[in-house]
Amino acid sequence: MDVWLEGKKVRLDPAKALGKGGEADVFDLGDGRALKVFKPPEHPDYTGLAVEQEAARARIDEHQRKLRVFPTGLPGRVVVPQALATDKKERTVLGYAMRKLDGVESLRRFGEPSFRRAGATSARAVEVLRSLHHTLAGVHAAGVVVGDFNDLNVLVTGAADAHLIDADSFQFGGFLCALFTERFVDPVRLNGKSLVPTRPASSESDWYGFTVAAMQSLLCVGPHGGVHRPKSPSARTTTAGRLLQRITVFHPEVQYPKPALPMRTLPDDVLHHLHRVFVEDLRGAFPLPLLEGLRFTQCASCGVEHARRACPTCQPNAVAQTTSVTSARGQVTATRLFATRGVLVHASVEDGVPRWLYHADGAYRRGDGRVVMRGPLDPSLHWALQGDVTLVGRDGVVAVMGPLGERERLGVDAPEGRPAFAANARHRYWAVGGGLWRDGVHGPERIGDVLEGQTRLFVGPRFGLGFHRAGGLRGAFVFDAERLGLRDGLTLPWPSGQLVDADCLFDGSLAWLFLAEQTQGRTVHHCVVLGSDGAVRAQAVAEANDGSWLGGALGTGRCAVGEALFCATDAGLTRVELRQGRLEAVRDFPDAEPFVDAGARLLLTRQGLVVVGRQELTALRMA
């Protein structure tokens, strides 16, 4: 497809794709700008989706008028249209050019416990929120409403510069914003019976969304997180029901999620304000002094960051235990294998043996205490472990670190900022320049051809999996861990919305691919089970945080065991099995509840299941 920008033809190259949203694809123009092109009704992502096709048609029709009169005078941290992209005759608006942001993280990441453990501090989250507060106030001062305020429409650059994107959906003049994101929609706007807005978006609904984002960024849980566990099972309601009935994490019948930061780490005045907004329907601008007054410190005993005079979660003189401790509950016995005062950063299994990386005393260390790299925690780093070798990647570079220091550096593709590399016990694999590579006896070996700059890569002991979604292209492939060549052209049940996360687990001849998408205002999780031949064996779909085995965060809490999957939740363990093309939860292990939570990782080792927590490795044995 071609578009015209400032009188010149621009060819949309999938290799230059920067990202994909629910309504548009974004490409790098190569001159410091990005090009956002709206998906037409016939876009492959909308195949067979009549509602989405009609919405695309209506959206493009409105943009013909709306983008030509886009307001000026917005704050500098709003990414606004700079030039319109059209057809050859300049009659139809197809998209627009805008400033390109480099080195970004979405605000959503600051609400993920794993991102916070990796080094995104509470103090930095506060700075991001202060920056966002000033930007949002400036938008309102210009007479504009964001409308669909959500954590994917805020991108953070540098230390704490918060930028608002997707400005084409802003509300101004007679152009109303029809979009909303379920987790951020103001219930005051709804009809009281369903998620149907009866009032237009406003500055007050924007500030409601900001307050949701503030709570998520400070506590790693939103107002309607946790699990509703009423005394009477018949009283349990849906996520939408909780929003409409104001059943929040402050409610006594809601189980507060274990991976979240303790609520009492925030001062009483901040908690009081959150309660008034989400329970008592207080509206108005978020009080800036509440953010400016937050001062976080890290407890020297338990490591938790808090904004109080004393740590609310432990005794001041508590001492962390470093010896193995065994405890039991019912049919589950837990043995502590490792503990640190620092933070466990990464863990994996190699031939049944657990390997791990942790950060303590200003350095990243392997399980035996050997220093791999000195420096503070950095959430932008990505890790893989292979024997005594440690791989660390950031952007388009991967450093291979041995016991005696750095061995080599690899240039790799970095789709959406994530370096494309992986490792198993025998090889390292990476994608760069349109090729998939691995290390060989005589140097790098090319496994096969992939889409340049767009390939996501995962590998297990026996085979690997890769995929891309760029522009109108979608593709996936599998490859043998030992042989050259790949089997591409796989047909997967692709999500149509914005892909926000992906993870893959391997065991034997199966791969369990997990995808999270933002679609129609909701976050939806997909699980696709594939064989080493690329054939789809089963699939399942669930809404995020719905309390099911698939509703939990991707990248945590799951472990593949042949044709079964163990899933950690705040209530214990659940075993899911592949049965005749279906995925079924067949058994719960509530006795595991004291030893696991939804944010922990699970590994299958020779010792059985190993739980990777924030500061401990624990082996579980179940009768």
Side-chain angles (χ1 to χ4, degrees):
M1 177 180 176
D2 297 328
V3 300
W4 272 256
L5 183 69
E6 298 168 326
K8 298 180 181 178
K9 183 170 73 172
V10 177
R11 173 145 294 180
L12 303 182
D13 182 358
K16 300 296 184 182
L18 292 173
K20 175 185 287 290
E23 294 84 34
D25 295 314
V26 182
F27 301 86
D28 189 353
L29 285 171
D31 60 359
R33 295 184 299 172
L35 177 65
K36 183 172 184 176
V37 179
F38 305 119
K39 296 179 184 178
E42 61 273 15
H43 194 284
D45 286 351
Y46 297 149
T47 301
L49 303 173
V51 174
E52 284 81 354
Q53 291 172 346
E54 182 56 35
R57 192 173 290 108
R59 185 166 49 248
I60 292 175
D61 179 65
E62 182 181 66
H63 285 326
Q64 304 309 305
R65 295 165 284 118
K66 182 178 181 180
L67 292 184
R68 297 183 190 277
V69 293
F70 197 84
T72 59
L74 292 172
R77 291 196 179 107
V78 177
V79 180
V80 299
Q82 294 179 335
L84 298 183
T86 68
D87 61 357
K88 186 175 183 179
K89 296 182 179 180
E90 299 186 354
R91 293 178 180 174
T92 304
V93 176
L94 303 176
Y96 60 87
M98 58 188 175
R99 179 163 46 105
K100 177 174 171 282
L101 300 176
D102 295 313
V104 300
E105 292 284 2
S106 71
L107 183 62
R108 185 190 191 101
R109 295 278 280 150
F110 287 82
E112 298 174 359
S114 59
F115 188 65
R116 299 297 290 277
R117 287 196 300 269
T121 64
S122 296
R124 184 183 174 199
V126 171
E127 290 302 315
V128 170
L129 292 171
R130 290 174 183 166
S131 169
L132 181 57
H133 191 288
H134 289 296
T135 300
L136 184 57
V139 169
H140 293 161
V144 176
V145 170
V146 173
D148 184 24
F149 186 101
N150 67 78
D151 53 7
L152 288 176
N153 287 352
V154 179
L155 298 182
V156 180
T157 62
D161 292 333
H163 305 261
L164 285 169
I165 63 170
D166 292 342
D168 51 273
S169 66
F170 283 8
Q171 179 173 293
F172 59 88
F175 299 102
L176 299 181
C177 178
L179 302 175
F180 68 89
T181 301
E182 185 174 301
R183 289 182 299 117
F184 291 84
V185 66
D186 185 352
V188 171
R189 294 181 57 202
L190 306 178
N191 64 11
K193 297 180 180 180
S194 64
L195 298 183
V196 177
T198 57
R199 301 183 187 178
S202 65
S203 60
E204 289 198 339
S205 64
D206 278 355
W207 283 116
Y208 175 89
F210 177 93
T211 308
V212 174
M215 183 174 182
Q216 287 186 171
S217 300
L218 296 173
L219 293 176
C220 294
V221 62
H224 300 96
V227 179
H228 184 211
R229 299 189 185 280
K231 295 179 181 179
S232 172
S234 62
R236 185 172 179 178
T237 186
T238 62
T239 301
R242 287 184 57 186
L243 177 68
L244 296 170
Q245 299 173 46
R246 314 302 195 265
I247 302 175
T248 70
V249 290
F250 297 103
H251 196 283
E253 293 183 334
V254 172
Q255 179 182 340
Y256 193 77
K258 290 183 182 180
L261 299 176
M263 195 177 293
R264 296 292 293 175
T265 56
L266 294 182
D268 288 340
D269 56 352
V270 176
L271 293 175
H272 179 63
H273 181 73
L274 297 177
H275 186 278
R276 293 195 66 195
V277 171
F278 299 125
V279 179
E280 303 172 17
D281 285 345
L282 174 71
R283 295 296 180 266
F286 191 98
L288 185 58
L290 291 183
L291 292 176
E292 294 177 333
L294 282 175
R295 297 291 184 272
F296 280 88
T297 186
Q298 187 174 39
C299 176
S301 176
C302 69
V304 168
E305 290 182 292
H306 64 89
R308 290 179 172 266
R309 293 183 179 180
C311 179
T313 65
C314 69
Q315 298 294 325
N317 298 317
V319 177
Q321 300 189 46
T322 57
T323 57
S324 294
V325 175
T326 299
S327 56
R329 176 178 175 180
Q331 297 180 321
V332 178
T333 301
T335 302
R336 182 184 294 121
L337 304 179
F338 174 80
T340 175
R341 290 182 179 274
V343 178
L344 280 161
V345 174
H346 182 81
S348 59
V349 176
E350 192 173 286
D351 297 327
V353 177
R355 303 187 184 279
W356 62 90
L357 178 82
Y358 68 102
H359 186 276
D361 301 321
Y364 288 93
R365 304 170 184 269
R366 290 294 296 264
D368 58 3
R370 171 171 55 89
V371 173
V372 173
M373 187 173 71
R374 296 193 179 276
L377 276 168
D378 185 346
S380 68
L381 300 178
H382 300 267
W383 302 90
L385 306 179
Q386 181 189 52
D388 60 2
V389 172
T390 305
L391 287 78
V392 54
R394 177 163 53 193
D395 298 326
V397 178
V398 175
V400 182
M401 315 288 288
L404 300 180
E406 184 175 323
R407 290 184 178 181
E408 61 178 312
R409 290 203 167 200
L410 304 172
V412 302
D413 290 339
E416 298 188 40
R418 185 180 182 89
F421 75 102
N424 61 18
R426 293 179 58 83
H427 295 288
R428 299 186 289 275
Y429 306 82
W430 65 97
V432 67
L436 176 63
W437 301 80
R438 76 172 186 202
D439 58 323
V441 176
H442 304 293
E445 300 174 334
R446 190 182 182 105
I447 299 174
D449 297 333
V450 298
L451 183 60
E452 181 178 358
Q454 302 299 326
T455 299
R456 299 202 186 203
L457 184 63
F458 308 92
V459 70
R462 293 174 53 179
F463 73 103
L465 168 71
F467 71 86
H468 65 258
R469 291 179 76 229
L473 298 181
R474 300 181 292 183
F477 60 87
V478 292
F479 59 96
D480 189 277
E482 296 299 325
R483 300 171 183 161
L484 301 182
L486 49 82
R487 183 192 296 266
D488 58 9
L490 304 187
T491 301
L492 297 184
W494 291 107
S496 60
Q498 179 179 358
L499 189 66
V500 295
D501 203 359
D503 190 34
C504 192
L505 304 175
F506 295 85
D507 193 62
S509 62
L510 293 180
W512 301 67
L513 176 64
F514 296 91
L515 304 172
E517 67 162 334
Q518 185 84 359
T519 179
Q520 297 182 340
R522 298 179 178 179
T523 302
V524 178
H525 291 177
H526 301 257
C527 176
V528 183
V529 184
L530 301 99
S532 57
D533 58 357
V536 175
R537 305 296 174 83
Q539 58 180 297
V541 180
E543 285 197 30
N545 303 313
D546 66 354
S548 71
W549 65 269
L550 187 51
L554 272 64
T556 62
R558 302 184 183 97
C559 175
V561 185
E563 294 192 348
L565 191 74
F566 280 96
C567 304
T569 70
D570 285 357
L573 288 173
T574 296
R575 180 183 172 95
V576 177
E577 293 185 359
L578 173 60
R579 292 183 173 181
Q580 298 180 337
R582 299 181 60 183
L583 296 175
E584 300 179 4
V586 297
R587 185 180 177 186
D588 292 323
F589 297 88
D591 289 341
E593 184 271 333
F595 315 115
V596 301
D597 62 62
R601 291 198 62 195
L602 294 180
L603 304 175
L604 178 63
T605 73
R606 295 173 185 171
Q607 298 161 290
L609 286 179
V610 169
V611 181
V612 184
R614 184 178 186 273
Q615 295 179 302
E616 296 180 351
L617 287 174
T618 305
L620 299 184
R621 181 169 55 85
M622 293 173 286

